[in-house]
Amino acid sequence: MDFRDDVDLDASQVEDHGSGFPGGGLAIGGGVVGIVAVIVALLLGVNPAGLLDGTGSDSAAPRQGSDLSARCRKGSDADQSEKCRVVGVVNSVQRYWRDALPEHTRQSYAPARTVLFSGGVSTGCGRASSAVGPFYCPADHRVYLDLGFFQELEETFDAKGGSFAQAYVVAHEYGHHVQNLLGTMNRVGRDRAGAESASVRLELQADCYAGVWAKNAVTTGFYDGPFTDDDIREALDAASAVGDDRIQERVQGRVDPEGWAHGSSRQRVHWFTTGYTTGSPARCDTFSGGI
């Protein structure tokens, strides 16, 4: 996963907020079980307002963070710095959807910023601690990401990690932004739990959208060439690691499909693969038929 050395990065799409409020705004238990309990409900999720400290509103949107533009100028910077790599991935994902969304849906694409934080952050959906994992807040149209999550993914969920596992997570969250723009999120309503629920279908569609971007990423001009088989294996491993069944088995020793909100490991791998092999958002219809 190498960026083109000479490609220009747009660091304005990413805000670096550094450390947030101590301990975050969530009343959860300590240790791995406490973190996993929240991740079961929210991991790679959509709107954490129900578990955050505060109500969602645009007035709670974050202030501008530190400027990354001095450090993240070229693709060569993205190959050397984790934060600049996030900038590069965000740039590529948004370039793809800027061009693809009007072509496939006649809906124009509105950019969304990514906010990097550590510890906790104030959002349009309320305050969040790092324990919630990466998420997208539809109230302020931002993706929130604590880079420490990727270490947690490896240490707690036995994922292999790697730069493309990170790219998969970012692309998944921007899949939620696309769903917000298209009005797909409105289909969830109160159907938020269960193996066939609208919540699961929403998450699997975001996985599929991540695969679609991966297939088309080279056309955005940010990468030297198509992703390798090793890159894709990193994404598939990350998708499998955050399946509801795998998390439930680790935390409670049994699998309860009635409690699923994101889909099983098999489903997440299947829908990312569907997006990657077809390269078409139209093939990501998880709301029709079985999943």
Side-chain angles (χ1 to χ4, degrees):
M1 179 182 169
D2 294 324
F3 288 87
R4 286 178 46 201
D5 288 347
D6 61 345
V7 70
D8 292 324
L9 301 183
D10 180 5
S12 70
Q13 296 181 11
V14 178
E15 302 172 11
D16 183 8
H17 286 241
S19 297
F21 54 89
L26 290 176
I28 62 172
V32 171
V33 173
I35 292 174
V36 172
V38 178
I39 292 179
V40 167
L42 272 174
L43 188 61
L44 303 183
V46 185
N47 185 352
L51 293 177
L52 301 190
D53 178 19
T55 58
S57 69
D58 289 328
S59 62
R63 294 172 294 177
Q64 181 68 37
S66 62
D67 190 2
L68 292 172
S69 60
R71 289 180 287 162
C72 306
R73 296 180 176 179
K74 295 288 185 179
S76 55
D77 298 321
D79 286 329
Q80 300 298 322
S81 162
E82 185 175 36
K83 289 183 177 180
C84 295
R85 181 164 62 245
V86 171
V87 171
V89 173
V90 169
N91 288 174
S92 175
V93 171
Q94 299 212 95
R95 176 75 58 81
Y96 169 71
W97 286 113
R98 183 199 70 183
D99 297 337
L101 202 62
E103 176 184 349
H104 288 276
T105 68
R106 299 183 181 179
Q107 166 74 48
S108 60
Y109 180 77
R113 287 181 174 176
T114 287
V115 177
L116 302 179
F117 70 97
S118 177
V121 65
S122 294
T123 84
C125 297
R127 294 198 305 167
S129 81
S130 297
V132 303
F135 64 93
Y136 169 73
C137 174
D140 60 27
H141 300 274
R142 282 173 166 85
V143 169
Y144 291 88
L145 175 63
D146 185 333
L147 293 176
F149 165 77
F150 297 114
Q151 182 177 356
E152 187 71 30
L153 191 64
E154 295 178 43
E155 293 180 354
T156 303
F157 299 101
D158 297 329
K160 296 177 181 178
S163 58
F164 199 78
Q166 296 179 1
Y168 153 70
V169 170
V170 172
H172 174 103
E173 297 307 331
Y174 274 91
H176 286 313
H177 179 55
V178 170
Q179 292 169 327
N180 192 27
L181 294 175
L182 295 176
T184 312
M185 285 186 176
N186 297 330
R187 303 179 68 169
V188 175
R190 296 182 179 276
D191 189 11
R192 296 182 177 274
E196 295 287 330
S197 68
S199 176
V200 166
R201 293 173 186 273
L202 195 77
E203 295 297 331
L204 296 179
Q205 185 179 65
D207 281 335
C208 188
Y209 283 162
V212 169
W213 162 75
K215 181 66 173 182
N216 295 283
V218 69
T219 67
T220 66
F222 284 89
Y223 296 97
D224 273 334
F227 297 128
T228 67
D229 290 344
D230 286 341
D231 290 330
I232 301 305
R233 276 193 288 269
E234 286 181 5
L236 295 176
D237 183 73
S240 177
V242 293
D244 283 328
D245 55 339
R246 184 163 166 180
I247 294 175
Q248 288 178 334
E249 182 68 36
R250 174 178 291 274
V251 175
Q252 60 192 30
R254 60 184 177 84
V255 175
D256 176 19
E258 292 302 312
W260 290 2
H262 302 84
S264 68
S265 294
R266 181 195 62 78
Q267 288 173 318
R268 303 200 75 159
V269 168
H270 168 76
W271 282 103
F272 177 89
T273 302
T274 296
Y276 182 70
T277 55
T278 66
S280 172
R283 298 297 296 274
C284 295
D285 181 10
T286 56
F287 286 85
S288 298
I291 50 176

